[in-house]
């Protein structure tokens, strides 16, 4: 066991249960053991409170001795545990690689999800600059990488009081490494490959560029979440049956397999918005409500993947859906991880239309989409907050109020029975039945979110994960525009050959076509998804209130014969 160590909090963390303690940014902490357990440290804050907090939210203060000089250095705590790849780096730290899964034994992966540390995706923080969600210090400064989000979906579970705590993930997708790669492509510094085996075509549609539809569209079901054990019960996990529509043979996948696919998609498709996976939760992972919620959100995530003309054609995605042999799985996994056509090189696979587009018109179109995405992001966040509050009221306030009303009717009925000569048994029964009816209605309110609001929150969560990516994708395009203007100025001043400036403009067109195609796909899918979401919600609401009316009508009829 490691000795105690001093540390400094780099982010604020609010505890969610009695096992955890809150820490404040810049607060000095004591860590009891430098070896994190599933990404969590056990330690003591400056107020003397002892408990757990995320390892990625602190930095170890190390004492170094060099001859007669003692230095104090700070090292990221995330590097101490097995889970550092899942947590946010400090804002100025570039990510030079994706998490590695090259262990010889597939079971040596980072099995964060298979043990105890998971992050629920309901109460996440959003940030421009992060594809997905990471908990972070509150800030409205646009230069800060992580922006706190108000509490949401705290009741998106019948057993919400037992919800696990939140931990961050390293999801700063567009690090300086990725950004410089796209810049290198625009400047012509990305070498052409001798042979490019894959190709993605962009076409001109009625309102602008579109991704060419997949030649073989398909869907994929996720069903039957089942608890499995290994190593004689030491390790427990949930397995999902995944069945593509174009093959009758299912494969069985754990969350870590979904997470691997997600990271490969992020690494490869720089200009495509890949929504975050449903996150992880520290406790209650095997509770029925949490398992059902995760399955619902994995289904939505998979539906988005299969509906995307580019993501659905990815070889690694096909491997995820089709490979049932363990040995072949490892070979295919390593092959996908060695894919060279990622990031800036992915741009070499794009086939763009010959139509001329004025770069100023493209920039204006992108600015319009940027304003739209910001407004939609805010409105989705607001709707999430309102729906989450409504869930809380269904589970608490509405239920209690109807139960109180029902109990009050029951009390009147009992009072009437205390003077038998003057009491009416039929009236007493009718009033008592009315009381029970309102108690039942209270229970109906508590159950209803499972049929409508939870599904709405699932869809809104998916779109939060999509919208949060666009500021950085647009930033890439803005950088390309800037390079075009700069190169043309240098050409006019005789500092750059016109051919070189033309090449930069041509490659900027490629980035612009890709972003516009992604914008078009987003709009198309948004219309389908929100139409379905609203129809499903209203249908369930109507059915719910019809059941309430039926209950009340039965009670009303009891008074007709009096």
């Amino acid at each position: 066991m490691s000795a105690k160590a001093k540390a400094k909090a780099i982010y604020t963390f609010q505890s969610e249960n009695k096992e955890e303690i809150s820490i404040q940014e810049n607060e000095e902490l004591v860590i009891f053991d430098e070896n994190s357990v599933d990404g969590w440290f056990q330690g003591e804050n400056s107020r003397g409170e002892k408990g757990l907090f995320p390892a990625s939210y602190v930095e170890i203060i190390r004492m170094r001795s060099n001859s007669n000089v003692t230095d104090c250095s700070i090292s990221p705590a995330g590097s101490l545990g097995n889970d550092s790849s899942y947590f946010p780096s400090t804002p100025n730290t570039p990510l030079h690689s994706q998490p590695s899964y090259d262990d010889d034994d597939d079971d040596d992966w980072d099995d964060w999800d298979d043990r105890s540390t998971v992050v629920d995706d309901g109460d996440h923080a959003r940030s421009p600059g992060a594809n997905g969600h990471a908990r972070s210090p509150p800030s409205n400064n646009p230069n800060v990488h992580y922006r706190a989000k108000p509490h949401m979906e705290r009741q998106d579970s019948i057993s919400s009081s037992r919800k696990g705590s939140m931990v961050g993930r390293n999801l700063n997708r567009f690090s300086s490494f990725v950004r410089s790669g796209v810049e290198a492509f625009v400047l012509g510094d990305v070498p052409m490959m001798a042979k490019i085996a894959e190709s993605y075509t962009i076409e001109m549609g009625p309102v602008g560029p579109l991704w060419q539809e997949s030649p073989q569209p398909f869907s994929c079901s996720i069903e039957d979440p089942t608890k499995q054990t290994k190593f004689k019960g030491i390790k427990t996990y949930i397995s999902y049956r995944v069945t593509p529509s174009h093959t009758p043979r299912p494969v069985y996948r754990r969350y870590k397999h979904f997470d691997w696919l997600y990271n490969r998609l992020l690494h490869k498709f720089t200009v495509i918005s890949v929504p975050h996976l449903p996150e992880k939760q520290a406790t209650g992972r095997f509770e029925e409500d949490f398992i059902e919620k995760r399955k619902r959100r994995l289904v939505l995530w998979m539906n988005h993947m299969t509906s995307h003309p580019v993501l659905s054609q990815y070889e690694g995605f096909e491997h995820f859906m089709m490979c049932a042999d363990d040995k072949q799985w490892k070979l295919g996994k390593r092959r996908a991880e060695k894919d060279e056509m990622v990031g800036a090189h992915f741009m070499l696979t794009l086939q763009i239309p010959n139509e001329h587009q004025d770069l100023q018109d493209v920039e204006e179109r992108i600015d319009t989409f940027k304003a739209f995405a910001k407004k939609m992001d805010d409105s989705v966040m607001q709707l999430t907050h309102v729906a989450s509050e409504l869930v809380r009221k269904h589970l608490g306030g509405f239920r209690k109020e109807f139960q109180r009303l029902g109990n009050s009717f029951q009390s009147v009925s009992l009072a009437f029975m205390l003077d038998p000569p003057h009491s009416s048994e039929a009236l007493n029964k009718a009033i008592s039945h009315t009381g029970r009816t309102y108690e039942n209605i209270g229970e109906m309110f508590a159950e209803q979110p499972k049929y409508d609001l939870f599904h709405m929150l699932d869809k809104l969560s998916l779109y939060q994960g999509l919208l949060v990516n666009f500021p950085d994708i647009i930033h890439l395009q803005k950088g390309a525009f800037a390079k075009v203007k700069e190169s043309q100025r240098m050409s006019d001043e005789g500092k750059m050959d016109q051919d070189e400036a033309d090449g930069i403009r041509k490659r900027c067109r490629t980035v612009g076509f890709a972003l516009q195609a992604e914008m078009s796909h987003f709009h198309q899918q948004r219309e389908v998804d929100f139409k379905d979401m609203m129809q499903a919600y209203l249908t369930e609401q109507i059915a719910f209130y019809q059941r309430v009316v039926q209950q009340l009508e039965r009670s009303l009829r009891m008074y007709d014969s009096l």
Side-chain angles (χ1 to χ4, degrees):
M1 188 177 200
S2 300
K4 290 183 179 180
K6 290 186 177 181
K8 177 183 177 182
I10 55 176
Y11 300 121
T12 294
F13 170 76
Q14 296 296 327
S15 63
E16 299 285 345
N17 59 48
K18 62 182 180 181
E19 289 84 15
E20 301 163 6
I21 58 173
S22 298
I23 59 176
Q24 302 297 320
E25 185 179 3
N26 297 322
E27 181 178 4
E28 289 193 2
L29 310 165
V30 174
I31 294 176
F32 299 152
D33 185 352
E34 290 187 29
N35 295 313
S36 66
V37 179
D38 299 326
W40 291 80
F41 279 145
Q42 186 168 24
E44 182 178 350
N45 60 21
S46 60
R47 297 174 297 285
E49 300 167 337
K50 298 178 181 179
L52 299 171
F53 47 86
S56 62
Y57 281 51
V58 304
E59 292 176 327
I60 303 294
I61 301 175
R62 300 211 177 278
M63 302 301 295
R64 284 199 309 241
S65 179
N66 183 9
S67 299
N68 296 325
V69 180
T70 300
D71 298 330
C72 179
S73 66
I74 297 178
S75 61
S79 63
L80 298 174
N82 296 325
D83 306 300
S84 59
S85 64
Y86 285 98
F87 296 112
S89 60
T90 53
N92 295 323
T93 303
L95 304 179
H96 292 286
S97 63
Q98 293 294 317
S100 173
Y101 299 101
D102 287 332
D103 304 15
D104 291 335
D105 184 353
D106 187 54
D107 288 322
D108 289 339
W109 285 17
D110 182 351
D111 274 351
W112 198 41
D113 184 55
D114 295 330
R115 290 171 290 193
S116 61
T117 303
V118 205
V119 182
D120 178 66
D121 45 323
D123 184 21
H124 43 257
R126 300 186 307 165
S127 67
N131 183 359
H133 306 279
R135 191 151 181 136
S136 58
S139 172
N140 290 320
N141 186 340
N143 297 317
V144 176
H145 279 237
Y146 299 95
R147 173 165 62 90
K149 174 183 175 183
H151 290 305
M152 293 184 182
E153 284 188 76
R154 302 307 305 152
Q155 302 295 332
D156 190 5
S157 169
I158 297 299
S159 59
S160 60
S161 62
R162 300 192 297 275
K163 274 200 168 184
S165 56
M166 306 293 298
V167 228
R169 296 183 66 191
N170 191 346
L171 291 169
N172 184 11
R173 178 188 186 195
F174 294 100
S175 63
S176 59
F177 166 73
V178 177
R179 244 188 244 111
S180 62
V182 172
E183 180 179 298
F185 167 77
V186 173
L187 294 177
D189 293 336
V190 176
M192 289 296 295
M193 311 295 288
K195 183 180 179 180
I196 301 178
E198 56 186 309
S199 176
Y200 304 96
T201 301
I202 299 173
E203 303 173 331
M204 286 302 294
V207 294
L210 297 169
W211 296 115
Q212 186 182 68
E213 288 299 321
S214 173
Q216 295 179 323
F218 63 93
S219 60
C220 186
S221 66
I222 300 174
E223 300 170 306
D224 194 24
T226 306
K227 186 187 292 188
Q228 306 282 353
T229 59
K230 59 194 301 186
F231 303 138
K232 297 183 179 180
I234 294 176
K235 182 175 291 186
T236 306
Y237 59 91
I238 299 295
S239 173
Y240 301 88
R241 186 174 76 242
V242 177
T243 311
S245 60
H246 50 292
T247 174
R249 186 182 65 176
V251 295
Y252 294 86
R253 296 288 180 255
R254 295 158 59 178
Y255 184 90
K256 68 175 185 179
H257 299 123
F258 284 92
D259 199 52
W260 171 83
L261 174 61
Y262 171 69
N263 277 283
R264 298 323 308 162
L265 293 168
L266 291 187
H267 192 40
K268 183 175 179 70
F269 300 105
T270 308
V271 293
I272 293 177
S273 179
V274 180
H276 64 83
L277 280 172
E279 297 287 358
K280 303 181 178 182
Q281 180 171 300
T283 57
R285 289 187 301 118
F286 301 117
E287 291 180 359
E288 182 179 347
D289 292 322
F290 176 75
I291 292 172
E292 176 60 25
K293 175 182 175 180
R294 171 175 281 183
K295 190 198 84 167
R296 293 195 316 263
R297 298 198 171 186
L298 283 175
V299 167
L300 287 180
W301 187 84
M302 180 60 71
N303 288 344
H304 182 83
M305 297 300 107
T306 58
S307 67
H308 197 288
V310 176
L311 300 179
S312 61
Q313 296 185 64
Y314 173 46
E315 182 181 359
F317 190 40
E318 181 180 357
H319 178 67
F320 171 87
M321 292 186 302
M322 306 290 286
C323 184
D325 178 79
D326 286 344
K327 185 177 180 180
Q328 291 301 316
W329 166 261
K330 294 176 185 179
L331 291 174
K333 180 169 73 74
R334 283 157 177 74
R335 184 169 61 251
E337 289 161 3
K338 293 176 181 178
D339 183 7
E340 294 182 345
M341 308 308 293
V342 300
H345 284 86
F346 165 68
M347 306 304 295
L348 300 176
T349 68
L350 300 180
Q351 307 297 317
I352 65 173
N354 293 324
E355 281 87 345
H356 171 74
Q357 277 195 315
D358 184 81
L359 288 186
Q360 185 174 351
D361 292 342
V362 174
E363 189 167 11
E364 290 176 357
R365 181 179 298 180
I366 290 172
D367 285 341
T368 299
F369 180 83
K370 180 180 179 181
F372 156 79
K374 174 64 170 64
K375 180 61 177 177
M376 181 177 176
D377 194 21
D378 292 341
S379 63
V380 165
M381 187 178 185
Q382 179 184 4
L383 180 55
T384 300
H385 178 67
V386 171
S388 300
E389 282 295 299
L390 194 53
V391 168
R392 184 183 62 80
K393 291 176 181 178
H394 270 265
L395 298 175
F398 293 162
R399 183 185 198 176
K400 290 178 181 178
E401 290 304 316
F402 282 111
Q403 287 178 337
R404 287 176 59 190
L405 182 58
N407 289 335
S408 298
F409 284 134
Q410 295 274 23
S411 179
V412 170
S413 175
L414 289 173
F416 285 1
M417 294 178 183
L418 293 180
D419 193 359
H422 301 282
S423 66
S424 167
E425 184 177 356
L427 177 60
N428 293 344
K429 285 184 177 180
I431 296 175
S432 178
H433 184 274
T434 303
R436 290 194 301 272
T437 294
Y438 276 97
E439 290 174 352
N440 291 338
I441 290 173
E443 293 300 323
M444 289 169 62
F445 267 91
E447 289 290 314
Q448 186 58 25
K450 292 195 298 186
Y451 304 107
D452 49 31
L453 285 169
F454 284 0
H455 295 283
M456 176 183 286
L457 288 166
D458 294 339
K459 186 66 64 100
L460 295 175
S461 176
L462 177 78
Y463 269 83
Q464 285 177 324
L466 283 167
L467 289 162
V468 78
N469 302 324
F470 278 112
D472 277 320
I473 297 176
I474 292 171
H475 179 80
L476 298 178
Q477 178 66 68
K478 290 290 187 180
F481 285 140
K483 293 301 177 189
V484 170
K485 294 172 184 176
E486 182 183 354
S487 65
Q488 190 58 53
R489 178 184 58 79
M490 293 177 67
S491 176
D492 293 342
E493 295 174 356
K495 298 178 181 179
M496 176 183 288
D497 292 339
Q498 186 59 47
D499 288 346
E500 187 176 353
D502 290 343
I504 291 174
R505 179 179 291 272
K506 180 180 179 181
R507 288 183 290 273
C508 179
R509 287 182 68 244
T510 299
V511 179
F513 270 109
L515 176 51
Q516 291 176 85
E518 184 62 13
M519 288 159 43
S520 295
H521 177 75
F522 178 85
H523 281 307
Q524 290 174 347
Q525 199 61 40
R526 168 183 61 85
E527 290 191 6
V528 173
D529 286 342
F530 274 76
K531 173 189 173 184
D532 291 346
M533 182 187 80
M534 295 306 298
Q535 284 182 322
Y537 179 72
L538 291 172
T539 299
E540 289 295 338
Q541 282 281 286
I542 291 169
F544 169 68
Y545 284 107
Q546 284 175 339
R547 292 194 297 272
V548 170
V549 168
Q550 290 169 1
Q551 293 264 348
L552 295 174
E553 286 177 338
R554 279 197 291 269
S555 290
L556 178 60
R557 285 195 293 270
M558 295 190 69
Y559 296 89
D560 292 343
S561 59
L562 296 180

